[in-house]
Amino acid sequence: MFSVQSKFLLTGRINRNIGRRLVLPAMDKFVIRGGNPLLGTVRISGAKNAALPAMAAALLTDEAVILENIPQVRDIETTRKLLLAMGAEVELGYGRAQHRTTICCRQLSAPEASYELVKTMRASTLVLGPLLARCGRARVSLPVGCAIGARPIDLHIQCLEKLGAKISQEHGYVEASAKRLKGAEIVFDKITVTGTEDLLMASTLAEGETVLENCAREPEVADLASLLNKMGARVEGAGSSTIRILGVDKLRGAKHRIIPDRIEAATFIIAGALTDGDLNVSGCEPSHLAALFEKLHAVGVKIKTLSDSVRVEGSRELKAADMITEEYPGFPTDLQAQYMALATQAEGTSVITENIFENRFMHALELVRMGGNIRIEGRRAVVRGKTTMSGAAVLASDLRASASLVLAALVAEGETIIDRVYHIDRGYENIEEKLRGVGAQIRRLGEILPKRH
Ligand code: EPZ
């Protein structure tokens, strides 16, 4: 099944499952042999991008917040470390029956998010609003740029200042303080997902009413609002572009189940389409995937939806279709890389336009090395298909680019070795086990420890 080379390298997954935490070596690789259609059923995990703000929301109360359906991914572990460093108590368990975390922020000794942690996960800036609202101060490292773009937080800062926060930036940190935030009318200059979530959380404990306009409408924002209301907040309109929050004096603990990961579900749906498979993607929320279904219909993929699952039947005759990324409910930027892999197998020319991030085509270079015919023109990628993809040694550059390389490897002739799969471990739970469960030939190679002499 695998070449001699990869068998030699094959050391299996060094998955040091310490207690309840999963620790993955940083330099794992995937070896994938293409050609198998994906058949059967794959179960989707909880949404990373809903779990991260929900964990930050626990900072708003001194009572326990219990979150279920937490995905077992690297970014959750990073957030656990972030909360522990502030003095929170965090229980995180991935036993068979539960993927659950219990977070209690009774005493917050240090309302800070250090550079060491923020540099590994930009979403750490989600603690800024909650810390300001709960503790009256916050010291959060400015996020570092990442592979897909500059990722500034200027909008978060501007809008928190409109709530009365005093904010300065020095030595690479945001220093923020506010005796008590005061409700205000705020219009976001640009639609920002974590900006909406940060301000939503901050406003729950502000004095008076806050109206947020031009908000992000992603399902993860609505899920956060649902948790906040269970905690005693008074939020209306989340999921639309206008959100009203009536501030309260105190929030209580709550129990909440995180929504399914729509990007993981979509990634597997595209994998089923690409490999000419017959795949049942279960435990997802089809209503979150309308833009994807519309595009896959245009490409010639058959989709059947049930209440919490999607059946995708691949086709050998995929047709090219242009795609433009937009804020929700438009086609998600987090699916652009995966769609590009699909476009290499579609007959004709697909023009992909990336409207959200300024540098989100890193995967294109590696897809070309595997046989893709792709030309980048600024924010547009022109993909000419169908081309035969051949296995190669490739490098993952960011979370969704990694997923794109896995998809291409599933249809490539021969063997692909993907390096730096720690990127994919940030947002996909056990992707190799899930793919193997539906027929893919994929192995994880642990880091090769130098021989001791
Ligand atoms: C969230 O990032 C997601 N992350 C991203 O998913 C996703 O790609 C992105 O939204 C867009 O949908 C989480 O939810 C944890 P933005 P976020 O603020 O909030 C600019 C993944 O793969 N902007 O909506 O950081 C920004 O540069 C990740 O799971 C400012 O200019 O994205 C971008 O061009 C990747 N100033 C645009 O807005 C700001 O203060 C949208 O970014 C904030 C954002």
Side-chain angles (χ1 to χ4, degrees), residues 48-50 52-53 75 121-126 146 148-158 190-197 216 218 220 261-263 326-328 332-334 355-358 360 379 398-400 426-427:
K48 159 182 88 86
N49 289 350
L52 298 180
D75 277 6
M121 186 183 71
R122 180 189 179 283
S124 309
T125 52
L126 275 166
C146 80
I148 64 178
R151 313 290 300 275
I153 58 166
D154 55 319
L155 299 176
H156 298 231
I157 291 168
Q158 272 168 33
K190 262 178 105 167
I191 294 175
T192 159
V193 176
T194 49
T196 300
E197 292 164 344
E218 273 69 1
E220 291 77 25
D261 193 317
R262 60 193 168 97
I263 304 300
E326 285 166 324
E327 295 87 0
Y328 192 89
T333 174
D334 290 352
N355 278 331
I356 308 294
F357 290 110
E358 66 270 26
R360 201 166 197 177
R379 290 264 184 153
D398 60 84
L399 169 54
R400 306 304 173 182
R426 293 192 49 182

Side-chain angles (χ1 to χ4, degrees), residues 147-181:
I148 64 178
R151 313 290 300 275
I153 58 166
D154 55 319
L155 299 176
H156 298 231
I157 291 168
Q158 272 168 33
C159 297
L160 287 169
E161 285 174 332
K162 287 178 186 160
L163 290 182
K166 297 267 171 298
I167 299 185
S168 63
Q169 295 179 36
E170 48 209 42
H171 310 301
Y173 276 79
V174 171
E175 305 275 358
S177 64
K179 224 160 118 9
R180 182 177 185 185
L181 296 171

Side-chain angles (χ1 to χ4, degrees), residues 93-246:
Y94 291 111
R96 183 135 319 274
Q98 57 169 5
H99 276 45
R100 173 192 289 189
T101 182
T102 302
I103 302 167
C104 194
C105 303
R106 211 183 319 279
Q107 304 286 347
L108 288 175
S109 49
E112 289 205 7
S114 72
Y115 169 72
E116 286 316 307
L117 284 169
V118 174
K119 76 178 179 185
T120 63
M121 186 183 71
R122 180 189 179 283
S124 309
T125 52
L126 275 166
V127 302
L128 185 55
L131 286 176
L132 250 182
R134 171 81 189 281
C135 310
R137 65 189 178 91
R139 183 169 187 271
V140 175
S141 165
L142 282 163
V144 299
C146 80
I148 64 178
R151 313 290 300 275
I153 58 166
D154 55 319
L155 299 176
H156 298 231
I157 291 168
Q158 272 168 33
C159 297
L160 287 169
E161 285 174 332
K162 287 178 186 160
L163 290 182
K166 297 267 171 298
I167 299 185
S168 63
Q169 295 179 36
E170 48 209 42
H171 310 301
Y173 276 79
V174 171
E175 305 275 358
S177 64
K179 224 160 118 9
R180 182 177 185 185
L181 296 171
K182 217 165 156 37
E185 305 234 335
I186 293 173
V187 182
F188 285 100
D189 291 350
K190 262 178 105 167
I191 294 175
T192 159
V193 176
T194 49
T196 300
E197 292 164 344
D198 215 354
L199 270 289
L200 172 52
M201 289 188 279
S203 308
T204 56
L205 292 176
E207 187 186 335
E209 184 181 47
T210 298
V211 180
L212 302 176
E213 302 275 6
N214 198 25
C215 294
R217 298 161 57 189
E218 273 69 1
E220 291 77 25
V221 175
D223 198 44
L224 173 63
S226 158
L227 165 62
L228 291 169
N229 283 336
K230 287 175 186 173
M231 294 168 66
R234 299 180 62 182
V235 179
E236 283 175 8
S240 75
S241 51
T242 301
I243 303 177
R244 289 177 182 281
I245 307 105
L246 194 53

